[in-house]
């Protein structure tokens, strides 16, 4: 009987706890924050408060389930996202003012009347002022930039402590909080603490350190420079030039995204936190003064909260540029010392080719391989791997360069299709024409294209999607392209889309998971795949590159193309009658940039050097015939386009400069149709400053 009563009691107790209303356990790191949190709890009982001493302790508590959420800034978001903790940002702060105020910028400020016009790369031996040790604007971003750009020589903690490396670079500094390194505290006025006992603490203090003549450069937030003083100062830019203080959006040492609420990977918990915060009434989350502090729980200058797009991890939230700079402070290794470039292959055919490349890239002089292989199911997944430093590089088309650029990656080498230009490093970058191809005699023209079936290289691809649907959007002002085309194949579209209806998949009879996949597994993927879609009567028009018909007719190309003649096809374009395939200069949809290799900013030099060496061995006229970078077996255009004659270094330092104003305008216009924006790009750009 006693056992039955005990069992019944425990069952009732379990029911009570199971039916208890859910709570959000907020982690705070000071007594002042605890007081504010307790007031929030009184106003909204769904919250409870958990006290820890540091952000890291809170991160560990959330990982263990002892707490649920905390608002963190950039470096701590980075730490929370590491595999040890695996937390994710779910809610971002939004701030008052212009769009760019959603980010915090770091700048290097100098007096305009400096006797010697030194630049950012001339700082060795000079005196520096910093807002605080560990502060993003005054320490993490500027020091990370100087290290990743090889201005400050430092090979990581195995070489020497970071503070020692910085102290040996500057002749004297004020770095509040850097006690233990005499010359890093030498310029401070008062003590070297992060408190009012040090007159040079904080952004205002760093500026005063510069204004007083104690230092020659101040690393700080540009918005803290007094308006009355701005004309007397300049900024040091990463290209070693100087610009006016007002130009900090383009002349800076990096930007830190808005502070964000982080939690465990639990969509139910994330939704609870969001609804709980947005349901708070009678309590201002963004006021701290009444508790005797600043930025308690949330930033005082925040005006609202906004949900982060689903499946956004800390790496996507922070962006490749910020991640590169922060990680360089942790375990920096000069890219030139890394043994291999990790290439990202999409799908099994590309991985098979990459494995051959890897096997042939052995370097006897260093007893290692120049290329290693990583794989992913899509180009977007490759971008994520590159941002997470799990891979280093991939060659993609212009539309994908656009997405990569929005996520902080940079184009470093471009495919050149004109061999005559390969010997001229200063020549014009390669480009190609986006064309619309139909069967001769089909009667299909641009004027009667509506209602026809379409073959596309892939969603988000330049010639196969961005250009043609951009033109359709301009003509119709309608973002629902399924009302224009009756059906089609656009690999990467949702499986229930009309743009998957005509796709072929891998050819399996049943259970074909490759159908409509944006990879070589789908037989209608890419340039040759879209043309094959037209050839096999799965579509009425194919949007491809101008050379594709010639590469797959008149005896060229794979088995499915062996009986094709180029004269059996025509080009169509707006305002003109169908024209011969050879007349692409007169009848095309756009002239677009060639495919390019993208990587993280700090890997630029390493990737370029490696690819130059590799094409000397395995290029069109390479010295080693065991492998050819620009030839594909078991597929078309694997890793690189088969028509590539060489790779050339891109002189433009940013993706928008490489793509050009015309293409950027077209892409920005197309992005008005949010359904055409890849999820990855949404994660990288939902903050207005990005």
């Amino acid at each position: 009987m006693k056992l039955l009563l005990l069992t019944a009691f425990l069952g009732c107790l379990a029911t009570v706890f199971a039916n208890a209303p859910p709570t959000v356990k907020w982690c705070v790191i000071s007594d002042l924050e605890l007081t504010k949190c307790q007031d929030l709890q009184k106003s909204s009982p769904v919250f409870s408060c958990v006290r820890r001493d540091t952000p890291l302790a809170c991160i560990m508590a959330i990982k263990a389930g002892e707490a649920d959420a905390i608002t963190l800034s950039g470096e701590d978001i980075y730490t929370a996202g590491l595999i040890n903790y695996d937390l994710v940002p779910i809610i971002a702060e939004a701030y008052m003012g212009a769009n760019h105020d959603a980010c915090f910028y770091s700048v290097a400020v100098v007096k305009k009347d400096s006797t010697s016009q030194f630049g950012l790369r001339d700082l060795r031996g000079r005196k520096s002022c910093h807002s605080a040790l560990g502060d993003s604007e005054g320490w993490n971003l500027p020091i990370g930039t100087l290290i990743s750009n090889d201005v400050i020589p430092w090979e990581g903690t195995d070489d020497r402590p970071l503070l020692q490396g910085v102290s040996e670079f500057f002749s004297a500094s004020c770095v509040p909080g850097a006690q233990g390194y005499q010359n890093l505290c030498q310029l401070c006025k008062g003590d070297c603490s992060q408190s009012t006992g040090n007159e040079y603490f904080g952004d205002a203090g760093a500026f005063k350190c510069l204004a007083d003549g104690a230092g020659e450069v101040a690393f700080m937030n540009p918005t803290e420079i007094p308006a009355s003083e701005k004309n007397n100062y300049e900024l040091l830019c990463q290209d070693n030039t100087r610009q006016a203080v007002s130009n900090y959006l383009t002349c800076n040492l990096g930007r830190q995204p808005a502070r964000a609420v982080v939690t465990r990977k639990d969509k139910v918990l994330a939704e609870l936190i969001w609804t709980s915060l947005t349901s708070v009434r009678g309590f201002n989350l963004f006021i701290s003064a009444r508790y005797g502090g600043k930025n308690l729980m949330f930033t005082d200058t925040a005006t609202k909260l906004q949900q982060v797009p689903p499946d956004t991890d800390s790496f996507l939230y922070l962006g490749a540029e910020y991640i590169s700079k922060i990680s360089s402070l942790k375990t920096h290794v000069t890219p030139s010392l890394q043994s291999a470039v990790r290439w990202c292959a999409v799908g099994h055919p590309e991985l098979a080719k990459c494995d051959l490349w890897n096997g042939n890239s052995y370097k006897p002089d260093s007893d290692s391989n120049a290329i290693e292989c990583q794989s992913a199911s899509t180009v977007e997944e490759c971008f994520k791997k590159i941002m997470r430093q799990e891979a280093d590089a991939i060659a993609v088309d212009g539309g994908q360069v656009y997405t990569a650029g929005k996520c902080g990656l940079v184009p470093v080498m471009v495919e050149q299709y004109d061999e005559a230009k390969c010997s001229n490093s200063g020549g014009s970058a390669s480009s190609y024409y986006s064309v619309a191809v139909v069967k001769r005699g089909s009667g299909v023209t641009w004027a009667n294209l509506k209602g026809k079936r379409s073959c596309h290289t892939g969603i988000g691809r330049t010639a196969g999607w961005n250009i043609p649907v951009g033109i359709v959007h301009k003509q119709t002002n309608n973002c629902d392209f399924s009302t224009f085309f009756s059906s089609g194949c656009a690999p990467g579209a949702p499986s229930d889309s009309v743009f998957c209806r005509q796709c072929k998949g891998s050819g399996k009879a049943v259970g074909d998971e490759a159908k409509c996949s944006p990879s070589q597994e789908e037989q209608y993927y890419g340039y040759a795949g879209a043309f094959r879609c037209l050839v096999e009567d799965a579509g009425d028009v194919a949007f491809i590159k101008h050379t594709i018909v010639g590469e797959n007719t008149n005896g060229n190309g794979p088995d499915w193309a062996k009986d094709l003649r180029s004269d059996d096809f025509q080009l169509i374009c707006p305002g003109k009658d169908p024209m011969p395939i050879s007349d692409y200069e007169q009848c095309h949809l756009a002239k677009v940039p060639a495919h390019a290799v993208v990587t993280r900013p700090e890997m630029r030099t390493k990737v370029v050097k490696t690819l130059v060496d590799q094409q000397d061995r395995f290029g069109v006229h390479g010295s080693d015939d065991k492998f050819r970078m620009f030839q594909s077996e078991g597929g078309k255009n694997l890793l690189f386009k088969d028509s590539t004659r060489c790779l050339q270094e891109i002189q433009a330092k940013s993706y928008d400069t490489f793509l050009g104003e015309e293409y950027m305008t077209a892409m920005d216009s197309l992005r008005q149709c949010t359904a055409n924006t890849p999820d990855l790009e949404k994660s990288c750009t939902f903050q207005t400053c990005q």
Side-chain angles (χ1 to χ4, degrees):
M1 179 64 70
K2 289 182 179 179
L3 180 60
L4 289 174
L5 289 173
L6 179 61
T7 302
F9 172 75
L10 291 175
C12 291
L13 194 63
T15 301
V16 169
F17 280 105
N19 295 329
T23 61
V24 175
K25 302 185 291 290
W26 203 272
C27 199
V28 298
I29 58 173
S30 70
D31 291 337
L32 296 180
E33 280 201 337
L34 180 60
T35 302
K36 180 176 179 178
C37 182
Q38 290 169 339
D39 277 0
L40 170 61
Q41 184 178 3
K42 293 174 185 175
S43 175
S44 184
V46 69
F47 291 97
S48 62
C49 308
V50 176
R51 174 74 161 87
R52 294 291 187 271
D53 292 329
T54 64
L56 180 58
C58 278
I59 290 169
M60 296 172 68
I62 295 171
K63 170 68 175 177
E66 299 164 359
D68 295 323
I70 185 177
T71 308
L72 298 175
S73 56
E75 184 179 7
D76 291 323
I77 294 173
Y78 170 84
T79 300
L82 295 176
I83 195 169
N84 319 43
Y85 312 111
D86 205 25
L87 305 186
V88 292
I90 59 167
I91 300 167
E93 294 181 338
Y95 307 101
M96 187 182 302
N99 286 345
H100 59 255
D101 288 337
C103 285
F104 302 100
Y105 290 82
S106 168
V107 295
V109 188
V110 295
K111 289 183 177 179
K112 186 178 290 187
D113 60 353
S114 301
T115 53
S116 61
Q117 287 290 307
F118 59 88
L120 193 70
R121 292 189 169 275
D122 309 310
L123 291 179
R124 177 185 286 277
R126 298 194 178 275
K127 296 178 289 185
S128 62
C129 308
H130 305 254
S131 55
L133 180 67
D135 177 62
S136 283
E137 294 91 333
W139 181 262
N140 295 337
L141 286 172
I143 299 303
T145 297
L146 293 174
I147 290 173
S148 60
N149 289 340
D150 293 325
V151 177
I152 295 180
W154 185 64
E155 305 300 344
T157 52
D158 290 342
D159 170 39
R160 54 192 164 152
L162 173 62
L163 288 175
Q164 181 181 339
V166 177
S167 70
E168 292 171 357
F169 181 78
F170 294 111
S171 61
S173 304
C174 177
V175 184
Q179 292 95 336
Y181 287 88
Q182 183 176 355
N183 72 321
L184 292 183
C185 291
Q186 184 176 331
L187 301 182
C188 294
K189 197 169 184 179
D191 56 31
C192 192
S193 67
Q194 296 184 9
S195 71
T196 54
N198 178 4
E199 289 188 32
Y200 293 161
F201 167 58
D203 287 306
F207 181 76
K208 190 174 190 302
C209 169
L210 175 64
D212 288 350
E216 299 171 90
V217 58
F219 299 108
M220 56 180 292
N221 185 330
T223 61
E224 298 297 322
I225 301 173
S228 60
E229 295 285 340
K230 288 183 178 179
N231 290 336
N232 299 322
Y233 294 86
E234 291 179 315
L235 305 180
L236 302 183
C237 308
Q238 294 194 50
D239 62 1
N240 219 40
T241 63
R242 292 187 176 205
Q243 289 192 28
V245 168
S246 58
N247 293 340
Y248 69 87
L249 291 179
T250 55
C251 176
N252 59 69
L253 306 185
R255 61 191 180 197
Q256 172 179 274
R259 281 163 49 92
V261 176
V262 302
T263 188
R264 297 180 294 281
K265 289 182 178 177
D266 182 332
K267 292 186 178 181
V268 174
L269 176 59
E271 189 61 27
L272 173 64
I273 295 170
W274 168 251
T275 55
S276 299
L277 286 171
T278 53
S279 300
V280 171
R281 299 292 181 267
F283 183 88
N284 193 324
L285 298 170
F286 311 125
I287 290 180
S288 302
R290 70 178 61 167
Y291 301 100
K294 290 182 65 177
N295 304 322
L296 302 178
M297 297 182 65
F298 296 92
T299 306
D300 296 342
T301 55
T303 56
K304 65 177 182 178
L305 300 174
Q306 55 184 348
Q307 275 187 299
V308 173
D311 302 319
T312 301
D313 62 18
S314 61
F315 292 86
L316 300 183
Y317 183 84
L318 295 172
E321 182 182 8
Y322 184 87
I323 291 290
S324 293
K325 290 176 180 179
I326 294 303
S327 60
S328 71
L329 298 175
K330 306 292 183 180
T331 53
H332 178 67
V333 178
T334 304
S336 61
L337 299 180
Q338 295 179 0
S339 61
V341 167
R342 295 164 298 177
W343 204 267
C344 195
V346 178
H348 296 301
E350 284 206 345
L351 182 59
K353 179 177 177 179
C354 189
D355 286 340
L356 283 175
W357 190 8
N358 162 258
N360 285 282
S361 70
Y362 180 75
K363 300 181 297 182
D365 55 330
S366 61
D367 198 32
S368 66
N369 288 47
I371 298 294
E372 292 179 0
C373 301
Q374 295 289 323
S375 65
S377 58
T378 66
V379 170
E380 282 193 23
E381 289 301 316
C382 275
F383 288 163
K384 291 178 183 179
K385 286 198 167 194
I386 294 171
M387 294 173 70
R388 293 172 183 145
Q389 302 182 350
E390 297 169 1
D392 297 319
I394 183 175
V396 295
D397 98 324
Q400 293 160 331
V401 170
Y402 182 91
T403 296
K406 289 292 185 181
C407 289
L409 303 181
V410 293
V412 295
M413 296 200 84
V414 62
E415 294 178 347
Q416 176 59 260
Y417 312 123
D418 184 345
E419 188 162 355
K421 295 181 179 179
C422 284
S423 59
N424 184 6
S425 59
S428 59
S430 192
S431 60
Y432 61 93
Y433 293 94
S434 167
V435 297
V437 179
V438 299
K439 292 180 179 178
R440 179 182 293 276
S442 66
V444 177
T445 68
W446 192 272
N448 65 18
L449 197 57
K450 183 176 172 61
K452 301 297 189 295
R453 300 167 302 161
S454 54
C455 301
H456 305 264
T457 56
I459 294 290
R461 298 285 296 269
T462 298
W465 184 262
N466 296 337
I467 296 301
V469 301
I471 294 174
V472 170
H473 175 255
K474 188 175 181 180
Q475 290 177 351
T476 65
N477 200 31
N478 186 349
C479 289
D480 184 1
F481 302 112
S482 66
T483 64
F484 188 86
F485 296 107
S486 61
S487 64
C489 179
S495 58
D496 58 353
S497 166
V498 299
F499 290 110
C500 283
R501 196 172 295 165
Q502 302 298 131
C503 290
K504 189 172 185 177
S506 64
K508 293 180 181 178
V510 293
D512 191 357
E513 296 179 357
K515 184 177 174 66
C516 205
S517 168
S519 73
Q520 295 290 338
E521 309 293 308
E522 164 59 61
Q523 294 185 49
Y524 289 167
Y525 173 70
Y527 293 114
F531 181 51
R532 183 177 183 180
C533 168
L534 172 68
V535 168
E536 297 182 349
D537 201 34
D540 303 305
V541 59
F543 299 108
I544 52 180
K545 176 179 177 284
H546 72 280
T547 63
I548 297 304
V549 174
E551 293 171 8
N552 291 276
T553 57
N554 304 328
N556 300 317
D559 287 344
W560 60 264
K562 63 181 180 181
D563 297 325
L564 299 177
R565 291 166 45 84
S566 61
D567 291 345
D568 294 334
F569 301 91
Q570 291 179 306
L571 302 177
I572 62 172
C573 50
K576 296 181 180 180
D577 293 329
M579 302 179 69
I581 293 296
S582 57
D583 287 352
Y584 56 85
E585 290 188 11
Q586 286 72 47
C587 185
H588 58 260
L589 305 183
K591 188 176 181 180
V592 296
H595 289 209
V597 176
V598 298
T599 186
R600 296 184 304 280
E602 83 279 6
M603 285 294 294
R604 180 188 184 95
T605 301
K606 171 65 177 178
V607 170
V608 170
K609 183 180 185 304
T610 298
L611 289 177
V612 169
D613 291 343
Q614 289 297 292
Q615 74 176 353
D616 283 347
R617 292 179 61 187
F618 307 120
V620 175
H621 303 292
S623 59
D624 190 334
D625 60 4
K626 294 178 183 176
F627 174 75
R628 284 288 176 256
M629 292 170 60
F630 312 131
Q631 292 179 11
S632 301
E633 295 181 10
K636 290 283 289 183
N637 302 314
L638 302 179
L639 303 182
F640 304 97
K641 284 177 53 49
D642 296 342
S643 57
T644 303
R645 309 309 294 170
C646 68
L647 298 173
Q648 294 178 312
E649 184 174 1
I650 296 171
Q651 301 306 314
K653 299 297 183 182
S654 63
Y655 78 100
D656 51 351
T657 304
F658 167 71
L659 292 175
E661 184 177 352
E662 183 180 24
Y663 190 77
M664 285 296 297
T665 299
M667 287 297 295
D668 291 342
S669 176
L670 183 59
R671 287 301 188 256
Q672 295 175 21
C673 301
T674 56
N676 285 279
T677 303
D679 289 341
L680 173 63
E681 195 175 312
K682 290 177 182 177
S683 293
C684 292
T685 61
F686 87 100
Q687 295 186 82
T688 52
C689 70
Q690 292 181 289

